């Protein structure tokens, strides 16, 4: 699986506008199979759970909020490239050109 840090890097979507690229990725995400969805959801939880744990700890340690904000920044850095990489194979080249002409 190739990682894409932007929807513009996905070869099938390079000629589309941002809203069209996001719509195509959203449509492709609905086509993910069970293990792919599970992998993506587990990765999301691995980023989100520590944030909430650190927020709970702010009652005793105010520095925990800084760590929570830092970990929150990991979400787009870790999750989005994996999401785009998984969805890229479900975006056929032929359908994109048809949608782009509408």
């Amino acid at each position: 699986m190739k990682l894409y840090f932007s929807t513009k890097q996905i070869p099938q979507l390079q000629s589309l506008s941002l809203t069209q690229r996001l719509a195509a990725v959203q449509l492709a995400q609905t086509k993910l199979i069970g293990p792919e969805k599970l992998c993506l959801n587990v990765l999301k939880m691995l980023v989100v759970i520590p944030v909430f744990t650190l927020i709970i700890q702010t009652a005793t340690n105010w520095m925990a909020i800084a760590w929570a904000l830092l970990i929150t920044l990991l979400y787009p850095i870790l999750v989005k490239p994996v999401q785009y990489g998984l969805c890229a194979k479900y975006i056929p080249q032929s359908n994109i050109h048809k949608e782009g002409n509408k």
Side-chain angles (χ1 to χ4, degrees):
M1 174 182 69
K2 186 174 179 182
L3 297 179
Y4 300 101
F5 291 94
S6 169
T7 56
K8 197 159 187 103
Q9 293 177 336
I10 300 173
Q12 302 94 314
L13 303 179
Q14 288 178 346
S15 63
L16 300 177
S17 69
L18 177 62
T19 55
Q20 291 172 327
R21 290 193 311 260
L22 292 177
V25 169
Q26 187 176 13
L27 181 64
Q29 193 169 351
T30 63
K31 296 178 183 178
L32 291 176
I33 60 174
E36 293 169 334
K37 288 180 185 178
L38 178 67
C39 175
L40 190 58
N41 287 332
V42 166
L43 181 61
K44 288 177 185 179
M45 294 306 292
L46 288 174
V47 175
V48 172
I49 289 174
V51 171
F52 287 109
T53 304
L54 288 167
I55 289 172
I56 291 170
Q57 291 180 359
T58 58
T60 58
N61 179 9
W62 281 98
M63 284 301 293
I65 195 74
W67 285 106
L69 291 173
L70 185 65
I71 292 173
T72 303
L73 295 175
L74 290 177
Y75 187 85
I77 295 171
L78 292 176
V79 176
K80 287 300 180 180
V82 173
Q83 177 185 358
Y84 296 154
L86 289 173
C87 292
K89 63 184 173 184
Y90 296 105
I91 304 172
Q93 185 69 33
S94 59
N95 289 346
I96 297 304
H97 287 301
K98 291 176 187 174
E99 289 178 14
N101 293 333
K102 287 184 179 178

